[in-house]
Short mmCIF file of all heavy atoms in Angstrom, two decimals:
data_model
loop_
_atom_site.label_atom_id
_atom_site.label_comp_id
_atom_site.label_asym_id
_atom_site.label_seq_id
_atom_site.Cartn_x
_atom_site.Cartn_y
_atom_site.Cartn_z
N TYR A 1 -4.34 -1.90 9.08
CA TYR A 1 -4.88 -1.26 10.27
C TYR A 1 -6.34 -1.67 10.46
O TYR A 1 -7.06 -1.87 9.47
CB TYR A 1 -4.79 0.26 10.14
CG TYR A 1 -3.37 0.78 10.05
CD1 TYR A 1 -2.81 1.07 8.80
CD2 TYR A 1 -2.60 0.95 11.19
CE1 TYR A 1 -1.52 1.53 8.70
CE2 TYR A 1 -1.30 1.42 11.11
CZ TYR A 1 -0.76 1.71 9.85
OH TYR A 1 0.54 2.16 9.77
N PRO A 2 -6.77 -1.83 11.71
CA PRO A 2 -8.19 -2.13 11.94
C PRO A 2 -9.07 -1.02 11.37
O PRO A 2 -8.89 0.15 11.67
CB PRO A 2 -8.30 -2.17 13.48
CG PRO A 2 -6.90 -2.39 13.96
CD PRO A 2 -6.01 -1.71 12.97
N ASP A 3 -9.99 -1.43 10.52
CA ASP A 3 -10.90 -0.44 9.90
C ASP A 3 -12.03 -1.21 9.22
O ASP A 3 -11.83 -1.80 8.17
CB ASP A 3 -10.15 0.41 8.88
CG ASP A 3 -11.02 1.53 8.33
OD1 ASP A 3 -11.70 2.19 9.14
OD2 ASP A 3 -11.03 1.74 7.11
N GLY A 4 -13.20 -1.17 9.85
CA GLY A 4 -14.33 -1.91 9.29
C GLY A 4 -14.14 -3.41 9.43
O GLY A 4 -13.42 -3.90 10.31
N ASP A 5 -14.74 -4.16 8.53
CA ASP A 5 -14.71 -5.63 8.61
C ASP A 5 -13.40 -6.22 8.11
O ASP A 5 -12.99 -7.31 8.53
CB ASP A 5 -15.87 -6.22 7.79
CG ASP A 5 -17.22 -5.85 8.38
OD1 ASP A 5 -17.29 -5.61 9.60
OD2 ASP A 5 -18.20 -5.79 7.61
N PHE A 6 -12.74 -5.51 7.18
CA PHE A 6 -11.58 -6.13 6.53
C PHE A 6 -10.27 -5.39 6.81
O PHE A 6 -9.22 -5.83 6.39
CB PHE A 6 -11.80 -6.17 5.01
CG PHE A 6 -13.06 -6.89 4.61
CD1 PHE A 6 -14.20 -6.19 4.25
CD2 PHE A 6 -13.12 -8.27 4.64
CE1 PHE A 6 -15.35 -6.85 3.91
CE2 PHE A 6 -14.29 -8.94 4.29
CZ PHE A 6 -15.41 -8.23 3.92
N GLY A 7 -10.33 -4.29 7.53
CA GLY A 7 -9.12 -3.54 7.81
C GLY A 7 -8.71 -2.68 6.63
O GLY A 7 -9.27 -2.76 5.53
N TYR A 8 -7.71 -1.86 6.85
CA TYR A 8 -7.22 -0.95 5.80
C TYR A 8 -5.74 -1.21 5.57
O TYR A 8 -4.93 -1.14 6.48
CB TYR A 8 -7.42 0.51 6.22
CG TYR A 8 -6.77 1.50 5.29
CD1 TYR A 8 -7.21 1.68 3.99
CD2 TYR A 8 -5.68 2.27 5.72
CE1 TYR A 8 -6.61 2.59 3.14
CE2 TYR A 8 -5.07 3.19 4.88
CZ TYR A 8 -5.53 3.35 3.58
OH TYR A 8 -4.92 4.24 2.74
N SER A 9 -5.40 -1.53 4.33
CA SER A 9 -4.01 -1.80 3.94
C SER A 9 -3.60 -0.80 2.87
O SER A 9 -4.00 -0.93 1.70
CB SER A 9 -3.87 -3.23 3.40
OG SER A 9 -4.28 -4.18 4.35
N PRO A 10 -2.83 0.22 3.22
CA PRO A 10 -2.43 1.22 2.22
C PRO A 10 -1.55 0.60 1.15
O PRO A 10 -0.79 -0.33 1.41
CB PRO A 10 -1.67 2.25 3.04
CG PRO A 10 -1.21 1.53 4.27
CD PRO A 10 -2.27 0.52 4.56
N ARG A 11 -1.67 1.13 -0.07
CA ARG A 11 -0.88 0.66 -1.21
C ARG A 11 -0.15 1.83 -1.84
O ARG A 11 -0.61 2.96 -1.81
CB ARG A 11 -1.78 0.02 -2.28
CG ARG A 11 -2.43 -1.28 -1.86
CD ARG A 11 -3.45 -1.73 -2.91
NE ARG A 11 -3.86 -3.11 -2.71
CZ ARG A 11 -3.25 -4.15 -3.26
NH1 ARG A 11 -2.20 -3.98 -4.04
NH2 ARG A 11 -3.67 -5.38 -3.03
N ASN A 12 0.99 1.55 -2.41
CA ASN A 12 1.72 2.56 -3.16
C ASN A 12 1.16 2.68 -4.56
O ASN A 12 0.58 1.74 -5.11
CB ASN A 12 3.21 2.20 -3.24
CG ASN A 12 3.89 2.30 -1.89
OD1 ASN A 12 3.66 3.25 -1.15
ND2 ASN A 12 4.72 1.31 -1.57
N TYR A 13 1.30 3.86 -5.15
CA TYR A 13 0.87 4.05 -6.54
C TYR A 13 1.70 3.13 -7.43
O TYR A 13 2.92 3.19 -7.45
CB TYR A 13 1.07 5.51 -6.95
CG TYR A 13 0.52 5.84 -8.33
CD1 TYR A 13 -0.83 6.13 -8.49
CD2 TYR A 13 1.35 5.86 -9.45
CE1 TYR A 13 -1.35 6.45 -9.72
CE2 TYR A 13 0.84 6.17 -10.70
CZ TYR A 13 -0.51 6.47 -10.84
OH TYR A 13 -1.02 6.77 -12.08
N GLY A 14 1.04 2.23 -8.14
CA GLY A 14 1.75 1.28 -8.98
C GLY A 14 2.07 -0.02 -8.29
O GLY A 14 2.57 -0.96 -8.92
N GLY A 15 1.80 -0.10 -6.97
CA GLY A 15 2.04 -1.33 -6.23
C GLY A 15 3.49 -1.49 -5.80
O GLY A 15 4.34 -0.63 -6.05
N GLY A 16 3.80 -2.60 -5.15
CA GLY A 16 5.16 -2.91 -4.73
C GLY A 16 5.56 -2.24 -3.43
O GLY A 16 4.84 -1.40 -2.89
N PHE A 17 6.74 -2.63 -2.93
CA PHE A 17 7.27 -2.10 -1.68
C PHE A 17 8.76 -1.84 -1.87
O PHE A 17 9.45 -2.53 -2.62
CB PHE A 17 7.06 -3.09 -0.53
CG PHE A 17 5.62 -3.53 -0.38
CD1 PHE A 17 5.18 -4.71 -0.97
CD2 PHE A 17 4.72 -2.77 0.34
CE1 PHE A 17 3.86 -5.12 -0.85
CE2 PHE A 17 3.39 -3.17 0.47
CZ PHE A 17 2.96 -4.34 -0.12
N SER A 18 9.27 -0.85 -1.15
CA SER A 18 10.68 -0.47 -1.29
C SER A 18 11.52 -0.85 -0.09
O SER A 18 12.74 -0.64 -0.10
CB SER A 18 10.79 1.05 -1.52
OG SER A 18 10.10 1.43 -2.69
N GLY A 19 10.91 -1.35 0.97
CA GLY A 19 11.67 -1.71 2.16
C GLY A 19 12.12 -0.48 2.92
O GLY A 19 11.38 0.49 3.06
N ALA A 20 13.36 -0.50 3.40
CA ALA A 20 13.90 0.63 4.17
C ALA A 20 14.29 1.76 3.23
O ALA A 20 15.09 1.58 2.31
CB ALA A 20 15.11 0.17 4.99
N VAL A 21 13.70 2.93 3.45
CA VAL A 21 14.01 4.10 2.62
C VAL A 21 14.12 5.33 3.50
O VAL A 21 13.55 5.38 4.60
CB VAL A 21 12.93 4.36 1.54
CG1 VAL A 21 12.89 3.24 0.52
CG2 VAL A 21 11.57 4.55 2.18
N SER A 22 14.84 6.33 3.03
CA SER A 22 14.90 7.60 3.76
C SER A 22 13.61 8.38 3.53
O SER A 22 12.92 8.18 2.52
CB SER A 22 16.10 8.43 3.30
OG SER A 22 15.89 8.88 1.96
N ILE A 23 13.31 9.26 4.46
CA ILE A 23 12.12 10.11 4.28
C ILE A 23 12.28 10.94 3.02
O ILE A 23 11.31 11.15 2.27
CB ILE A 23 11.91 11.01 5.51
CG1 ILE A 23 11.34 10.18 6.66
CG2 ILE A 23 10.99 12.18 5.19
CD1 ILE A 23 11.05 10.97 7.92
N ARG A 24 13.48 11.41 2.75
CA ARG A 24 13.73 12.21 1.56
C ARG A 24 13.34 11.44 0.29
O ARG A 24 12.67 11.98 -0.59
CB ARG A 24 15.21 12.60 1.51
CG ARG A 24 15.55 13.60 0.41
CD ARG A 24 17.04 13.87 0.36
NE ARG A 24 17.56 14.35 1.63
CZ ARG A 24 17.53 15.62 2.02
NH1 ARG A 24 16.97 16.54 1.23
NH2 ARG A 24 18.03 15.97 3.19
N GLN A 25 13.72 10.16 0.25
CA GLN A 25 13.39 9.34 -0.91
C GLN A 25 11.89 9.01 -0.95
O GLN A 25 11.27 9.04 -2.02
CB GLN A 25 14.21 8.05 -0.90
CG GLN A 25 13.94 7.09 -2.05
CD GLN A 25 14.32 7.65 -3.41
OE1 GLN A 25 15.00 8.69 -3.50
NE2 GLN A 25 13.91 6.98 -4.48
N ALA A 26 11.32 8.71 0.21
CA ALA A 26 9.90 8.38 0.27
C ALA A 26 9.05 9.55 -0.22
O ALA A 26 8.05 9.36 -0.92
CB ALA A 26 9.50 8.00 1.69
N LEU A 27 9.45 10.76 0.13
CA LEU A 27 8.72 11.95 -0.29
C LEU A 27 8.96 12.24 -1.77
O LEU A 27 8.03 12.61 -2.50
CB LEU A 27 9.16 13.14 0.56
CG LEU A 27 8.32 14.42 0.51
CD1 LEU A 27 6.85 14.13 0.73
CD2 LEU A 27 8.83 15.41 1.55
N ALA A 28 10.19 12.04 -2.22
CA ALA A 28 10.52 12.33 -3.62
C ALA A 28 9.71 11.49 -4.59
O ALA A 28 9.22 11.99 -5.61
CB ALA A 28 12.01 12.14 -3.86
N VAL A 29 9.58 10.20 -4.29
CA VAL A 29 8.86 9.30 -5.21
C VAL A 29 7.42 9.05 -4.75
O VAL A 29 6.72 8.24 -5.33
CB VAL A 29 9.61 7.96 -5.36
CG1 VAL A 29 11.00 8.20 -5.94
CG2 VAL A 29 9.71 7.21 -4.04
N SER A 30 7.01 9.76 -3.69
CA SER A 30 5.62 9.76 -3.21
C SER A 30 5.13 8.38 -2.79
O SER A 30 4.05 7.93 -3.20
CB SER A 30 4.69 10.34 -4.28
OG SER A 30 3.47 10.76 -3.72
N LEU A 31 5.91 7.71 -1.93
CA LEU A 31 5.46 6.43 -1.38
C LEU A 31 4.32 6.69 -0.39
O LEU A 31 4.39 7.60 0.43
CB LEU A 31 6.62 5.72 -0.68
CG LEU A 31 7.79 5.30 -1.58
CD1 LEU A 31 8.91 4.70 -0.73
CD2 LEU A 31 7.32 4.29 -2.63
N ASN A 32 3.30 5.86 -0.45
CA ASN A 32 2.12 6.06 0.39
C ASN A 32 2.26 5.44 1.78
O ASN A 32 1.85 6.04 2.78
CB ASN A 32 0.88 5.47 -0.29
CG ASN A 32 0.43 6.28 -1.48
OD1 ASN A 32 0.76 7.46 -1.60
ND2 ASN A 32 -0.30 5.65 -2.39
N ILE A 33 2.82 4.24 1.83
CA ILE A 33 2.83 3.49 3.09
C ILE A 33 3.63 4.21 4.17
O ILE A 33 3.15 4.33 5.32
CB ILE A 33 3.35 2.05 2.85
CG1 ILE A 33 2.36 1.31 1.93
CG2 ILE A 33 3.51 1.31 4.17
CD1 ILE A 33 2.86 -0.05 1.48
N PRO A 34 4.83 4.72 3.91
CA PRO A 34 5.54 5.45 4.97
C PRO A 34 4.77 6.66 5.50
O PRO A 34 4.83 6.96 6.69
CB PRO A 34 6.84 5.88 4.28
CG PRO A 34 7.05 4.87 3.20
CD PRO A 34 5.68 4.56 2.71
#
């Protein structure tokens, strides 16, 4: 997202991406990006 000079890119705790997930799963494992 535009934010300052370099923008803001949210990261998940521990890194990585899960692709398509349900909100229930995203909340259960506390994904940041969704």
